[in-house]
Amino acid sequence: YAIPTEQPTTLLEAIAMAGGFSDEAAPNGTRIIRIEEGQEKMITVKVDNIIKKGDKTQDVVVRPSDIIFVPESFF
């Protein structure tokens, strides 16, 4: 998805732009895969801390070329 560059876009905003979490999603396993200084970096985000606890500090700003991965729930 193309992310607007006029203002920063957070992880939850990007997920909302993509249609939100599916019924099969495991939001607390959400990861951002990012390349920094030639190295792959994995950022795990516990979405419940943002949504249920209101901890907006964990709503990471998405950068160009980031990959957002939301795994499926096993239950």
Side-chain angles (χ1 to χ4, degrees):
Y1 293 89
I3 302 290
T5 57
E6 298 82 43
Q7 63 183 16
T9 300
T10 67
L11 172 70
L12 287 184
E13 290 170 337
I15 289 171
M17 289 168 52
F21 293 107
S22 72
D23 292 338
E24 295 84 26
N28 279 330
T30 300
R31 293 187 295 267
I32 298 173
I33 303 165
R34 177 177 289 169
I35 304 296
E36 286 185 341
E37 298 177 9
Q39 300 289 320
E40 184 175 282
K41 179 179 179 182
M42 191 85 59
I43 304 167
T44 302
V45 181
K46 294 204 179 281
V47 173
D48 278 351
N49 289 344
I50 303 167
I51 295 173
K52 294 180 181 178
K53 295 181 181 178
D55 186 359
K56 296 293 263 173
T57 64
Q58 293 192 34
D59 197 4
V60 178
V61 173
V62 178
R63 295 182 185 168
S65 302
D66 279 355
I67 298 170
I68 299 170
F69 175 76
V70 181
E72 279 187 66
S73 175
F74 291 107
F75 303 100

